[in-house]
Amino acid sequence: MGAVPRRPAAGGEPEPDRAKALAGFGRYAGPATFILASLADGAKHGYALTKDIESFAGVRLAPGTLYEALARLQAQGLIEPVESHDRRRPYRLTAVGAETLRAHLDAQRRVADLGLRRLAAGWGLT
């Protein structure tokens, strides 16, 4: 997986562009967002992730989709495996993953807010 895009920060040092980090996931940006949001409240293994995502998003990720997204997130350093003493393989959010999720959700909130304002103004839908 490619590196997180960078932009110059104050002081001249490059800083990851967290808001765009998940954009490179293409069709896996949705599953990646669900996984990061699920891991935001603690480490989980695959089945627990699937059940949690289903409970808060109403979406059931297929195993192939889940594990491919987990591999991509791990390759980008957004999640990391946690030691386990059984066959399950739990993952947890990294600090970079938390920053990336925050930036991504902030960007999505701006889009949602704009869409809702436009619907209210043009269609009377609130």
Side-chain angles (χ1 to χ4, degrees), residues 28-51:
Y28 292 100
T33 303
F34 295 147
I35 291 166
L36 294 175
S38 180
L39 293 176
D41 74 344
K44 294 178 186 71
H45 55 79
Y47 181 74
L49 280 164
T50 300
K51 297 311 280 180

Side-chain angles (χ1 to χ4, degrees), residues 1-2 69-79:
M1 187 80 229
L70 286 169
R72 289 171 182 247
L73 290 166
Q74 185 177 351
Q76 276 199 327
L78 304 179
I79 65 171

